[in-house]
Amino acid sequence: MIVAYTLMCCDNGIDPITEVDPGPDQSPPIVKINFPADGLEIQVKEDVIPITIKFEVDDDIEVASIEAKMDGKTIGQYSSFKDYRRIIIDDLVYTNLTNGEHTLIVTSIDTDGKETTEVSNFLKKEAYKPIYDGETFYMPFNGDYTELVSVTTANEIGSPSFAGESVVGPNAYLGATDSYLTFPTEGLLGEEFSATFWYKVNADPDRAGILVISPPDEENPDSPNDRTKGIRFFRENANGNQRLKLNIGTGSGETWVDGAEAADIASNSDWVQVAFTISATKAIVYIDGQIVKEVDFVGVDWTGCDLLSIGSGSPRFTGWGHLSDLSEIDELRIYNKALTQQEIQDIRAADL
């Protein structure tokens, strides 16, 4: 009796299962390859590497089968699914990716015989070797966030993405709200320091951090703004344009490299090459190979500066609201020397 009562209680209020007619199969499967994306360039130290292939398939009624091929060879087949309408594959490992061009093909067939094929053409390049004197850091943003000199992947905060266009290669970095990249500064900092990159400004929001290497601010942990160490390269609204500014901590104080109107970029401008250099005695900001401001100073102090932020002032330079930059960045390089103007112009010309 107790068992019977319990079963009655458990069934109380539950409607009987009603079979639902899914209707006719209207559409073929939808296939999306998430990795490797079409146009991706992979560049690491090893000549042969494994990669993990990731894709997803959706169908209005039921997926019957999925096949993945790499360079014409079947590497994965699936015909049994927990969810027959939405399948996510994120653990298909291909162990023998060599240097050169590759083609990944994913084909799905539904139970009505409708078929969809998605193709990703990508490239595994030979290991990168620095091409410029003093080059210690290079991020081309060609579909991933790998720094190629050390072959280290940057830490992603939020949801940065890619622009679908670039100056060099198939892609560039595209910022997003509350999003940026970070990278350890080990091996990057010295008495001399330079950076070059291409920049396509998005003036909304009207101020943002671009490249920041700042120390923690123990006195203002919720709104850090310690400008006595490191560097802060950022932009701000200037009568409808965006003005580039460089702030450098000298240990006992700070130095500003502010070119006023000469450092302005029009809000609707196309790509420009941006560069800045730091030596023991001078700091200079360039736009398209031309000096927009040069100042004398006593040198940078890097104490406590162990983090590089790309595309935002966060997490260590937010006190003035220089947060995520929604602009595009391409071909970011850092050097352990103060580049000359001629070197900067030569780098610019080589990219065009």
Side-chain angles (χ1 to χ4, degrees):
M1 290 178 62
I2 293 174
V3 172
Y5 177 76
T6 301
L7 292 173
M8 290 174 63
C9 289
C10 290
D11 289 339
N12 186 29
I14 299 177
D15 293 332
I17 296 174
T18 302
E19 183 176 350
V20 177
D21 181 2
D25 192 327
Q26 300 290 334
S27 305
I30 298 172
V31 180
K32 180 183 178 183
I33 298 175
N34 295 318
F35 188 87
D38 189 58
L40 173 67
E41 294 183 358
I42 299 172
Q43 198 166 26
V44 295
K45 292 180 179 179
E46 297 80 9
D47 289 330
V48 181
I49 61 169
I51 63 167
T52 301
I53 294 163
K54 302 179 181 182
F55 58 86
E56 54 192 78
V57 178
D58 293 272
D59 190 66
D60 55 348
I61 301 298
E62 183 174 351
V63 174
S65 66
I66 302 172
E67 181 180 36
K69 292 184 176 182
M70 182 69 77
D71 301 328
K73 179 182 177 181
T74 299
I75 60 173
Q77 290 181 304
Y78 306 87
S79 58
S80 178
F81 314 105
K82 292 182 179 179
D83 183 344
Y84 48 81
R85 289 186 176 182
R86 177 166 175 76
I87 296 94
I88 298 176
I89 304 297
D90 58 6
D91 58 357
L92 175 58
V93 177
Y94 181 67
T95 60
N96 194 41
L97 190 73
T98 57
N99 293 333
E101 297 179 349
H102 298 277
T103 299
L104 172 66
I105 299 176
V106 178
T107 300
S108 179
I109 303 173
D110 65 18
T111 52
D112 195 48
K114 295 184 177 69
E115 179 177 316
T116 300
T117 296
E118 185 74 7
V119 180
S120 173
N121 294 297
F122 64 102
L123 175 66
K124 183 186 179 301
K125 301 175 71 174
E126 293 183 359
Y128 178 75
K129 297 178 181 178
I131 59 177
Y132 297 110
D133 184 30
E135 183 183 352
T136 57
F137 181 102
Y138 174 44
M139 293 188 75
F141 302 113
N142 288 334
D144 64 14
Y145 303 120
T146 301
E147 192 285 304
L148 297 184
V149 177
S150 65
V151 195
T152 303
T153 301
N155 183 35
E156 296 179 45
I157 309 299
S159 302
S161 61
F162 297 97
E165 63 173 357
S166 66
V167 177
V168 179
N171 235 318
Y173 173 87
L174 176 62
T177 302
D178 298 326
S179 302
Y180 56 97
L181 306 175
T182 64
F183 199 88
T185 60
E186 183 178 0
L188 301 179
L189 310 180
E191 184 179 65
E192 296 191 348
F193 181 95
S194 298
T196 62
F197 58 94
W198 289 88
Y199 189 62
K200 189 174 183 180
V201 68
N202 179 348
D204 182 21
D206 69 352
R207 61 179 53 208
I210 303 173
L211 293 179
V212 172
I213 304 175
S214 272
D217 189 346
E218 297 180 357
E219 295 183 1
N220 302 285
D222 296 328
S223 186
N225 193 10
D226 183 353
R227 303 185 308 280
T228 63
K229 314 287 192 305
I231 60 171
R232 288 141 294 278
F233 192 70
F234 57 94
R235 62 172 178 83
E236 293 179 338
N237 175 60
N239 300 316
N241 294 324
Q242 284 293 307
R243 183 165 299 172
L244 302 180
K245 298 182 180 182
L246 174 63
N247 174 269
I248 308 173
T250 61
S252 58
E254 59 184 315
T255 293
W256 284 92
V257 190
D258 185 347
E261 290 84 357
D264 286 357
I265 303 174
S267 298
N268 60 349
S269 68
D270 203 351
W271 290 98
V272 296
Q273 188 218 35
V274 177
F276 62 87
T277 66
I278 297 170
S279 71
T281 58
K282 288 185 182 296
I284 309 174
V285 173
Y286 300 81
I287 296 178
D288 281 336
Q290 302 303 312
I291 295 174
V292 298
K293 186 64 176 179
E294 177 178 355
V295 301
D296 296 329
F297 82 126
V298 297
V300 60
D301 186 332
W302 295 115
T303 303
C305 298
D306 58 356
L307 188 72
L308 164 65
S309 294
I310 301 169
S312 180
S314 296
R316 294 183 178 176
F317 176 55
T318 63
W320 290 342
H322 295 87
L323 305 177
S324 296
D325 190 354
L326 276 58
S327 303
E328 299 175 27
I329 301 173
D330 198 21
E331 296 295 293
L332 172 60
R333 285 184 164 93
I334 292 174
Y335 313 80
N336 61 8
K337 58 176 285 185
L339 297 174
T340 67
Q341 184 174 14
Q342 186 62 57
E343 286 175 315
I344 291 170
Q345 292 174 346
D346 289 346
I347 293 167
R348 180 177 186 274
D351 288 341
L352 295 176

